[in-house]
Amino acid sequence: HWPRLALAALLLVLALIPAAPAARAQAVTIRYAAPAAVGGDCLSWATACPLQTALAGAGIGAQIWVQAGVYTPGAVRSSTFRLKDVVAIYGGFAGGETDLSQRNPAQNITTLSGEIGAAGSEDNVIHVVTGSGTGGTAILDGVTISGGYNFGYGDEYAGGGVYIVGGSPTLINVIIRDNWAAVGGGVYIEGGSLTLSNVTLHGNQALSGAGLLSVDSTLLLGSVTFSGNHAYLNGGGLYT
């Protein structure tokens, strides 16, 4: 009977060993941005930081919650909000929300603006948002993009609102309005894939592709509205 007794003793010992704790799901890191913020660690509404600061410090899997207001990317024309892989930017917060479902982008308007100098367009940033080199996990949701101006200044004079070369970002619940460029006034994409869902392109201007100009790219469009855009040559709404 000794083998059976030894086996029973072994099973008893194993039963007394505490089980290893189950792996916990990694919590989403949320960073908070507010238009009047000048400092802060970005880790709560009370210590919100500027949007560029939140973006710079956002790691893989982070969400950036953006309070209603107007945000400019910097003080020089080359300044831009540069999207990042596996980082989601959500606008439409009043400030104080504790759950993503509580935001209201239609009511709490969050604007990414190229207006950095004197009133008017010619000294504005050349790209308000840049999505080059990203994948589909670079998400921008619930914002308005306006005031980009790229006539006669680098990057082939393209993409006043959004500029993408070799990237595939995802834009959801976004309004892209009143941007200017030689080509792709609202959006310019080349050699990538762009997903637009519930997006409006309005009042943008360009020589070609006033709303959106696509070169050698894939467009995935769902509930997209082109209205009031103006092209001087080709593609008032969309040119591909």
Side-chain angles (χ1 to χ4, degrees):
H1 301 297
W2 284 109
R4 281 185 289 178
L5 290 174
L7 177 59
L10 176 61
L11 292 175
L12 177 61
V13 170
L14 291 175
L16 294 175
I17 297 176
R24 295 181 180 178
Q26 186 173 1
V28 173
T29 299
I30 300 173
R31 299 176 67 81
Y32 301 82
V38 292
D41 60 11
C42 313
L43 298 181
S44 71
W45 286 120
T47 59
C49 60
L51 178 53
Q52 283 288 39
T53 303
L55 258 173
I60 291 175
Q63 295 180 2
I64 302 175
W65 292 11
V66 189
Q67 187 177 357
V70 178
Y71 298 80
T72 55
V76 298
R77 295 204 66 203
S78 58
S79 302
T80 188
F81 292 110
R82 192 172 299 276
L83 304 181
K84 299 172 72 171
D85 279 334
V86 205
V87 172
I89 303 171
Y90 295 103
F93 291 91
E97 291 90 343
T98 58
D99 191 88
L100 186 62
S101 65
Q102 296 172 332
R103 69 181 180 131
N104 187 338
Q107 179 177 326
N108 303 313
I109 297 174
T110 305
T111 300
L112 310 185
S113 173
E115 187 68 67
I116 61 171
S121 59
E122 294 187 5
D123 62 350
N124 292 9
V125 301
I126 61 173
H127 314 304
V128 181
V129 173
T130 298
S132 300
T134 62
T137 57
I139 297 172
L140 183 60
D141 185 330
V143 303
T144 295
I145 300 169
S146 69
Y149 185 90
N150 194 12
F151 273 106
Y153 190 95
D155 291 337
E156 301 179 3
Y157 314 140
V162 182
Y163 179 78
I164 307 161
V165 172
S168 304
T170 301
L171 275 58
I172 306 169
N173 304 317
V174 171
I175 297 171
I176 302 169
R177 63 173 180 81
D178 302 327
N179 299 281
W180 301 265
V183 293
V187 180
Y188 177 86
I189 179 167
E190 179 179 342
S193 176
L194 178 61
T195 299
L196 301 180
S197 178
N198 192 28
V199 171
T200 295
L201 300 103
H202 174 78
N204 302 287
Q205 297 188 45
L207 298 178
S208 293
L212 191 160
L213 191 143
S214 169
V215 180
D216 297 330
S217 298
T218 299
L219 301 178
L220 305 173
L221 310 181
S223 299
V224 175
T225 299
F226 294 88
S227 69
N229 302 286
H230 181 79
Y232 296 88
L233 295 176
N234 305 299
L238 168 67
Y239 184 74
T240 178

